[in-house]
Amino acid sequence: MELKDEIRIEAPKHEVYAALNDPEVLKAAIPGCQELNKVSDTELEAKVALKVGPVKATFGGKVTLDTAGAPDRFLLTGEGSGGVAGFAKGGAEVELEEDGNATILRYAARADVGGKLAMLGGRLIASTAQKLAGQFFENFSAKVSAGRRIS
Amino acid sequence: MNEMTPPKTERTAALKGLGTARKRVEDARFTQGKGNYVDDIKLPGMLFGDFVRSPYAHARIKSIDAEKAKALPGVIAVLTAADLAPLKLHWMPTLAGDVQMVLADGKVLFQGQEVAFVVAENRYIAADAVELVEVDYEELPVLVDPFKAEAPDAPVLREDLAGKSEGAHGPRRHHNHIFTWEQGDRDATEKVLASADVVAEEMVYYHRTHPCPLETCGCVASMDKVNGKLTVWGTFQAPHAVRTVASLISGIAEHNIRIISPDIGGGFGNKVGVYPGYICSIVASIVTGVPVKWVEDRMENLMATAFARDYWMKGRISATKDGRITGLWCHVTADHGAFDACADPTKFPAGFFNICTGSYDIPVAYLAVDGVYTNKAPGGVAYRCSFRVTEAAYFIERMIEVLAIKLGMDAAELRAKNFIRKDQFPYHSALGWEYDSGDYHTAWDKALKAVDYEGLRKEQAQRLEDFKAGKTRRLIGIGLTHFTEIVGAGPVKNCDILGLGMFDSCEIRIHPTGSAIARLGTISQGQGHATTFAQILASEIGIPADDITVEEGDTDTAPYGLGTYGSRSTPVAGAATAMAGRKIRAKAQMIAAYLLEVHDDDVEWDVDRFAVKGAPERFKTMKEIAFAAYNQAIPGIEPGLEAVSYYDPPNMTYPFGAYICVMEIDVDTGEHEVRQFYALDDCGTRINPMIIEGQVHGGATEGYAIAMGQEMAYDDMGNVKNATLMDFFLPTAWETPHYTTDFTVTPSPHHPIGAKGVGESPNVGSVPAFSNAVHDAFRSFGLTQTHMPHDHWRIWRTAHELGLHG
């Protein structure tokens, strides 16, 4: 499964990058996120409750960041397991580009899904993932630009 | 005959015997929702089992932690392979001579494999507890392609078979190889092919699909610790075989096991095998001392309980320039999944696939089947067909079409030219069968005439011209099929399952007032046995079918038999019924002669009575004879009127048929419309025309599903892609085509009433008819072969690849 999109966030690039590294912002933005802890500068652990069609489960997972190209570009890889509901593993490439006072965020993600989740059929998973990603960036964008207005 | 005696025709009609369109007696309860299925069984104190299943297709199990699950209130136990190992029940034998894990032993080999069995006070707690069992997996490389499975460096799937170069069916040549099964004459066939005028070659794939009965599999196991008796209610197509196998595996004496198949909501081969759920329920009941119920859900049924087909069939067929077939060569790569759990007679690891010469007189043939292991669910059952017969029929009916293209010949003409002629029966096929009877030309001519074949071809040609002229975007395909089945397994001399001979049985008791009960070794799953077996008996013993109870499925009461699958009930148990009836009649004749004070030879049978020869007004009806049998002291004859027959058929039966499908295909959307479907079946003597018609409708609809959309598909990771009814195609009334049924009657010469079986013919015949129609629509654009299922997307893709989208 592959996801690709770009969004415009009303905040300068360094703020967007900082927010992407802020567990509190991420926790608020990730749909269903119950826990998110920074283990080190490049490692995060998360617990996320998800519902895909009839499958509802809490996924425990680990995300590793590769920030070699930051703040223009960085890579994420991760895997998560939802017990009987199945598992997922994948990665994403995120690019940030300045556009005046705003930032264009582009992402390309790919994920392999297994277990009950996968059995539900690709069409349901792809559309759910697309929706979740959309929700995340909507929340994220709102959080980052709102924070900016307050300050 | 006195005035009071109704005429023969009236008395015959009153029996509702052979040939009567008698309404199904079962339907009174089914249509009212009053059936009694496994899940309807509720016993006091009953517990519920549910499986933890693997999300991975291939992985090593590093640990299983069930502590949290066990701590959940209402959870009684969590069983793993480690718990079953001391009982030697963590593995079980399959029907194909292989072994299968009951619960994952060290690793898992397919997605959905049983890893642990949770037992709880109710279904909900069991489901919650399943989610609390923590299994730590280490992923291993996955094999879903049977051709890659045989690569030298392919991952080893079955570590338990390491070093075993000999399997249940001969030598294994690779760690993922199961068997090679060869039939026919290889040298002679290759010689003929090498020097033939014309040779057509094709790879024909019959995709993996699933029988998907509406009722999933399940059981209730109840161990009575006081009397030591184990009772298991289950969705079993072969209850007696289950009893024997359960006794052999568990060590419980066979008389202490009672297997009951209650009403079954469709089987289609899915309920022949032995599944881990049965073993785990039985163990759980023995351990807890209370009944344990296990019923799988739809996803579990689709992803883990026996699949069907998955045959890659490479064929070469040769002919003279004028279309006389001279030879057939076939190699099958059979994907059996993680364990070889096919339900075939022991000596036939590829079932009766060697019927693949079909309805044609082919002088030489050679067949080899290689079974291989992959990371897919085990199974390979006969989904509404006799063992691998649907695969064989699809193969030969595709090869005929491919040959017709190569020859530039009309496919109907090519078939007629090569049919086994009526005067050639009994016919010995090049791959070893003795076809008992047939009259293919008569059936074929009738079918072509009924659909106006020539008219259809003219219409098709006109449509093609219109298409090319841009006047329409719809093409017409005419799908032809003439199939020959082989059913009624079978003669004990060559047919057994795990050493159990495939005879069947019937036991009849006539009650003093002239009604009766008949018990059989088979079990109906919707076929209507209670209706049709009573009709066979009515005609044999002159007691109205309405006065005969037919009972099956309880091993404590029914005589031993091998069950219902492979269209064997009528050919085998139906024959036993007729034979037991004849024993009843023989005794009745002696009683009648005594009562009429004449010699045994001086009375003759007359529909429902014995009458004195030449004096029809002197008679005794079966009712009178039955009463006398119990209540009158007759010198030299013991009281009672009962009989039992165990019937070992001398041969299989060979039903056949001619199916024609006319389909319209929208080139731009890939949608299709079945405009006409004509099904002519010859199942020999017809017991109940209404039930035959119903069977043809049902079987053809399953065939339609398989050909046009139904499949079990896997992605590269071994994920099942069709494990719900959202993705697995089951036609509803909306999609189901209209069928026209027809028949010819060529009785089986060796069956007591000449019947051959019909339940599975429509699946065997309709799949190639639908598929051939799709192929035929594109024939003039150069299409020779495209694989099923022909869903909208695949048809669209075919049109696209042929350049029809401009």
Side-chain angles (χ1 to χ4, degrees):
Chain A
M1 175 178 56
E2 290 188 4
L3 300 172
K4 227 181 202 173
D5 205 356
E6 66 172 60
I7 55 158
R8 188 186 154 86
I9 299 169
E10 297 298 333
K13 191 160 90 174
H14 68 275
E15 281 183 26
V16 172
Y17 181 71
L20 278 172
N21 279 283
D22 180 343
E24 283 309 308
V25 176
L26 291 177
K27 191 180 165 189
I30 296 170
C33 186
Q34 295 170 343
E35 274 177 41
L36 190 108
N37 301 309
K38 218 167 171 168
V39 181
S40 72
D41 277 353
T42 56
E43 279 180 311
L44 293 166
E45 271 181 6
K47 208 170 235 187
V48 181
L50 278 182
K51 191 175 182 308
V52 183
V55 180
K56 195 174 163 186
T58 304
F59 283 73
K62 206 180 255 181
V63 179
T64 310
L65 298 172
D66 176 353
T67 53
D72 302 330
R73 185 171 167 274
F74 62 99
L75 304 170
L76 299 130
T77 50
E79 56 180 70
S81 166
V84 290
F87 60 91
K89 55 185 180 181
E93 190 179 329
V94 180
E95 275 179 20
L96 301 177
E97 191 191 308
E98 237 160 14
D99 183 17
N101 273 340
T103 306
I104 307 286
L105 184 153
R106 284 191 198 90
Y107 69 92
R110 131 199 90 61
D112 289 326
V113 182
K116 223 177 212 181
L117 267 180
M119 281 176 248
L120 292 170
R123 57 183 172 203
L124 196 57
I125 287 174
S127 62
T128 307
Q130 198 86 52
K131 200 177 97 195
L132 291 172
Q135 256 174 36
F136 167 75
F137 284 110
E138 202 176 293
N139 296 346
F140 179 77
S141 171
K143 187 104 186 148
V144 175
S145 33
R148 185 175 164 72
R149 273 196 295 273
I150 290 162
S151 66
Chain B
M1 196 174 294
N2 59 41
E3 293 168 8
M4 299 300 287
T5 304
K8 233 180 179 102
T9 47
E10 248 175 60
R11 287 184 287 129
T12 303
L15 294 178
K16 298 188 188 170
L18 288 184
T20 309
R22 180 182 182 224
K23 283 197 176 163
R24 285 165 40 109
V25 296
E26 297 89 340
D27 289 347
R29 67 178 188 279
F30 291 152
T31 54
Q32 294 179 66
K34 297 273 169 63
N36 186 35
Y37 299 90
V38 167
D39 208 22
D40 293 321
I41 292 164
K42 293 180 178 69
L43 301 176
M46 188 168 73
L47 302 174
F48 294 77
D50 195 5
F51 279 111
V52 175
R53 293 177 181 273
S54 170
Y56 294 93
H58 194 199
R60 202 166 297 288
I61 293 182
K62 284 155 64 183
S63 66
I64 301 175
D65 182 354
E67 290 314 310
K68 276 187 207 158
K70 284 180 186 166
L72 188 73
V75 172
I76 309 297
V78 179
L79 298 177
T80 64
D83 301 309
L84 298 181
L87 306 167
K88 294 198 165 58
L89 289 174
H90 55 319
W91 288 74
M92 63 180 186
T94 70
L95 297 180
D98 196 0
V99 287
Q100 177 178 349
M101 290 181 210
V102 173
L103 290 172
D105 183 19
K107 66 191 273 192
V108 287
L109 287 160
F110 65 95
Q111 189 183 58
Q113 189 179 329
E114 300 80 1
V115 175
F117 189 67
V118 172
V119 183
E121 282 171 4
N122 66 48
R123 188 77 176 79
Y124 304 96
I125 295 172
D128 287 344
V130 161
E131 301 208 353
L132 294 177
V133 177
E134 287 172 7
V135 186
D136 193 8
Y137 298 96
E138 178 194 330
E139 270 190 272
L140 296 170
V142 172
L143 274 174
V144 289
D145 179 341
F147 295 100
K148 288 183 184 158
E150 288 202 276
D153 58 347
V156 177
L157 302 189
R158 291 289 299 277
E159 287 164 2
D160 60 299
L161 298 178
K164 286 189 183 162
S165 58
E166 194 75 19
H169 308 290
R172 300 169 65 224
R173 59 158 189 264
H174 179 275
H175 53 261
N176 294 328
H177 181 246
I178 310 172
F179 64 83
T180 300
W181 189 58
E182 282 182 289
Q183 296 287 298
D185 188 333
R186 181 177 191 159
D187 290 343
T189 305
E190 285 179 351
K191 206 175 279 174
V192 165
L193 287 166
S195 60
D197 290 356
V198 178
V199 178
E201 187 170 341
E202 198 53 72
M203 172 65 96
V204 179
Y205 179 45
Y206 199 136
H207 60 291
R208 178 176 278 236
T209 183
H210 194 283
C212 193
L214 285 188
E215 179 204 25
T216 59
C217 295
C219 70
V220 178
S222 179
M223 183 74 198
D224 185 329
K225 289 204 167 175
V226 176
N227 64 16
K229 190 147 183 166
L230 171 70
T231 306
V232 186
W233 291 262
T235 50
F236 306 127
Q237 287 183 236
H240 299 273
V242 169
R243 186 185 70 191
T244 301
V245 172
S247 173
L248 292 172
I249 295 177
S250 67
I252 300 172
E254 200 166 352
H255 71 283
N256 275 334
I257 302 177
R258 181 182 185 189
I259 304 292
I260 302 172
S261 295
D263 283 332
I264 297 182
F268 315 116
N270 190 238
K271 292 168 180 171
V272 173
V274 177
Y275 298 119
Y278 305 153
I279 309 270
C280 289
S281 306
I282 291 171
V283 171
S285 180
I286 292 173
V287 171
T288 60
V290 286
V292 176
K293 179 189 274 188
W294 165 74
V295 178
E296 63 186 3
D297 67 21
R298 178 64 56 196
M299 282 176 88
E300 292 180 295
N301 178 255
L302 283 169
M303 72 182 173
T305 315
F307 77 95
R309 326 290 193 236
D310 216 348
Y311 260 33
W312 290 91
M313 305 173 285
K314 176 104 184 154
R316 286 189 281 155
I317 187 165
S318 63
T320 59
K321 279 192 205 81
D322 61 348
R324 169 72 59 192
I325 299 171
T326 54
L328 179 71
W329 179 97
C330 178
H331 178 268
V332 180
T333 299
D335 185 341
H336 283 223
F339 306 97
D340 187 7
C342 293
D344 293 319
T346 305
K347 294 185 187 73
F348 298 89
F352 303 153
F353 187 84
N354 53 333
I355 194 74
C356 68
T357 51
S359 310
Y360 311 101
D361 181 16
I362 302 179
V364 291
Y366 169 70
L367 163 69
V369 181
D370 279 301
V372 297
Y373 292 121
T374 59
N375 289 119
K376 299 182 191 168
V381 295
Y383 171 7
R384 201 170 187 150
C385 68
S386 193
F387 314 101
R388 301 291 187 185
V389 172
T390 306
E391 289 92 324
Y394 184 64
F395 168 73
I396 186 64
E397 289 303 298
R398 281 304 308 143
M399 290 310 293
I400 292 286
E401 294 282 318
V402 172
L403 179 63
I405 291 169
K406 189 102 181 183
L407 289 164
M409 228 174 130
D410 178 83
E413 186 192 337
L414 178 61
R415 283 181 173 84
K417 192 162 197 160
N418 289 285
F419 282 146
I420 300 162
R421 293 185 321 272
K422 191 179 175 182
D423 60 278
Q424 287 176 285
F425 292 96
Y427 172 82
H428 290 267
S429 80
L431 292 176
W433 294 114
E434 187 193 309
Y435 292 33
D436 66 346
S437 60
D439 184 357
Y440 302 160
H441 284 101
T442 300
W444 195 237
D445 292 345
K446 190 174 182 183
L448 296 181
K449 206 171 156 203
V451 300
D452 181 21
Y453 181 67
E454 278 179 32
L456 281 173
R457 285 291 179 203
K458 278 187 199 133
E459 189 193 347
Q460 183 187 36
Q462 181 60 48
R463 180 68 70 86
L464 192 62
E465 267 182 42
D466 291 349
F467 180 85
K468 286 176 176 163
K471 292 180 194 163
T472 178
R473 296 296 289 164
R474 281 160 77 101
L475 296 169
I476 295 176
I478 303 165
L480 304 173
T481 290
H482 190 286
F483 64 91
T484 294
E485 256 205 300
I486 171 167
V487 305
V492 175
K493 64 178 187 275
N494 61 357
C495 286
D496 70 273
I497 289 184
L498 291 180
L500 309 176
M502 297 179 75
F503 60 84
D504 228 291
S505 59
C506 176
E507 183 194 282
I508 302 165
R509 288 185 201 168
I510 311 293
H511 304 315
T513 52
S515 64
I517 182 165
R519 294 189 171 105
L520 294 94
T522 45
I523 175 70
S524 183
Q525 306 125 39
Q527 291 89 341
H529 290 177
T531 309
T532 49
F533 287 138
Q535 289 181 253
I536 294 176
L537 213 44
S539 289
E540 291 291 341
I541 62 175
I543 289 175
D546 289 346
D547 295 346
I548 302 169
T549 296
V550 173
E551 211 180 79
E552 304 171 301
D554 183 339
T555 58
D556 264 11
T557 56
Y560 201 94
L562 263 274
T564 295
Y565 44 87
S567 286
R568 63 184 301 280
S569 298
T570 294
V572 192
T577 305
M579 298 309 270
R582 285 170 198 181
K583 288 183 186 176
I584 296 275
R585 209 161 84 185
K587 185 171 178 183
Q589 181 167 5
M590 292 191 279
I591 296 168
Y594 172 82
L595 297 174
L596 292 164
E597 298 176 335
V598 294
H599 189 269
D600 290 356
D601 295 338
D602 291 333
V603 292
E604 62 186 355
W605 180 247
D606 176 25
V607 182
D608 55 357
R609 66 196 62 200
F610 277 103
V612 177
K613 283 180 185 168
E617 73 284 356
R618 292 185 60 209
F619 61 81
K620 289 288 169 190
T621 64
M622 273 305 282
K623 253 184 188 315
E624 294 168 309
I625 295 167
F627 200 80
Y630 285 93
N631 301 312
Q632 195 159 343
I634 302 172
I637 298 179
E638 63 182 57
L641 195 50
E642 296 185 8
V644 57
S645 168
Y646 282 79
Y647 188 79
D648 178 11
N651 191 1
M652 309 283 184
T653 60
Y654 296 76
F656 61 93
Y659 284 15
I660 299 173
C661 171
V662 184
M663 198 182 275
E664 298 242 356
I665 283 177
D666 186 313
V667 169
D668 295 319
T669 63
E671 288 171 301
H672 67 270
E673 179 199 331
V674 177
R675 205 174 80 180
Q676 186 179 0
F677 196 98
Y678 170 87
L680 179 151
D681 276 285
D682 191 319
C683 57
T685 301
R686 291 156 56 84
I687 299 166
N688 182 327
M690 186 198 69
I691 283 198
I692 292 172
E693 195 180 17
Q695 288 279 23
V696 172
H697 286 188
T701 303
E702 280 179 322
Y704 172 74
I706 294 167
M708 305 310 291
Q710 190 176 85
E711 66 179 319
M712 292 307 296
Y714 287 77
D715 68 12
D716 291 343
M717 294 168 69
N719 285 314
V720 181
K721 289 162 73 178
N722 316 72
T724 72
L725 293 185
M726 188 167 68
D727 296 295
F728 185 85
F729 176 44
L730 269 195
T732 62
W734 175 252
E735 291 98 355
T736 302
H738 179 78
Y739 304 109
T740 306
T741 56
D742 204 346
F743 63 95
T744 55
V745 177
T746 312
S748 168
H750 62 77
H751 188 279
I753 61 165
K756 296 181 174 184
V758 75
E760 300 174 330
S761 295
N763 197 322
V764 173
S766 68
V767 172
F770 288 116
S771 181
N772 284 346
V774 174
H775 284 90
D776 185 66
F778 295 108
R779 175 174 167 168
S780 50
F781 298 99
L783 179 70
T784 50
Q785 178 66 22
T786 182
H787 298 317
M788 293 190 293
H790 306 296
D791 55 18
H792 299 168
W793 173 70
R794 285 183 175 94
I795 291 179
W796 178 89
R797 189 183 60 179
T798 297
H800 197 72
E801 284 169 358
L802 294 171
L804 303 184
H805 292 154

